[in-house]
Amino acid sequence: MDIMILLYKVERRVAVRAAENWKDYRLLDASDGDRLERWGDVVLQRPDPQVIWQRGKDHASWGQVDALYHRSRQGGGRWETRRKLPKRWQVTYGELRFYVSPTGFKHTGLFPEQAVNWDWYGGQIRGAGRPVRVLNLFAYTGGASLACAAAGAGVTHVDASKGMVNWARENAAESGLGEKPIRWIVDDCEKYVAREIRRESFYDAVILDPPSYGRGPGGEVWKLEEKLWPLLKLCVSVLGRSPLFFALNSYTAGLAPGVMGYMLEALLPPRFGGEVHSDEIGLPIETGGVLPCGATALWCKG
């Protein structure tokens, strides 16, 4: 197939899907480089590079934040608390429960926009009519792992950070999923996949959520644009003979959904058939509109 035709085929599907089913999370407003969020009973203000508009901060909660994040010019930043907060607290999404805690790099331990993908993963698993084995890579605090386990899948949760894996295990326990078939693996994701291929341990679904930038244990630099293609080829090789789905997530602003979709289109349908869809995912803003928060490319057998 001609490359330009293939690119058009993927690009024309690009849209924005919003995580609209939250009750314990709300994006109250977004303006002047910041987002204003309610996590349970806690209101946080933190910077967001996508919020380049200046619509004014007229929402009443801008003046009632419990904590706000100040970015440092040297990197990182700090939280300024306006009232005493617990070290962590819980929010729920359907039957799932998550601990939330403001971290030193402005994050809270949860990306709420990913809930729209959790719903999709769960629907694919429930509709499969067979046992499903899921490999979740760069799995963080376990949102996707819990959604898949709750839908009935066996899950292998892999992350290089022991602290994140422990956080995910706590989330699973609080969600009533502590006894579900979830394997908790602290390891380098690429090396783990390579070993699984050598062991002929294959999966029905792969969820890939790699970082945009980072450093490995030996100080090696990880840049998503340079590492993604060989990583994708490796991860496709860990799929079994009749896979169910493959999901690729990215928060890199320069990596368009259509590019991500093109890569999956080049690797998966020639081998397994099925279809690829790519889009932006985001959060509905209560004062109007949707805040784009990342991109996703999804392949499913259909």
Side-chain angles (χ1 to χ4, degrees), residues 212-224:
S212 299
Y213 179 85
R215 290 189 178 274
E220 61 273 19
V221 175
W222 162 279
K223 289 184 179 180
L224 182 62

Side-chain angles (χ1 to χ4, degrees), residues 87-88 90 96-101 140-142 146 157 162-178 182 184:
K87 184 177 180 180
R88 62 180 187 171
Q90 286 188 350
L96 307 180
R97 300 181 67 87
F98 302 98
Y99 281 111
V100 172
S101 179
Y140 198 47
T141 60
L146 271 57
H157 173 111
K162 183 177 180 180
M164 291 298 116
V165 173
N166 288 339
W167 194 337
R169 294 187 72 156
E170 290 182 301
N171 287 338
E174 292 299 320
S175 299
L177 300 171
I182 307 175
W184 307 102

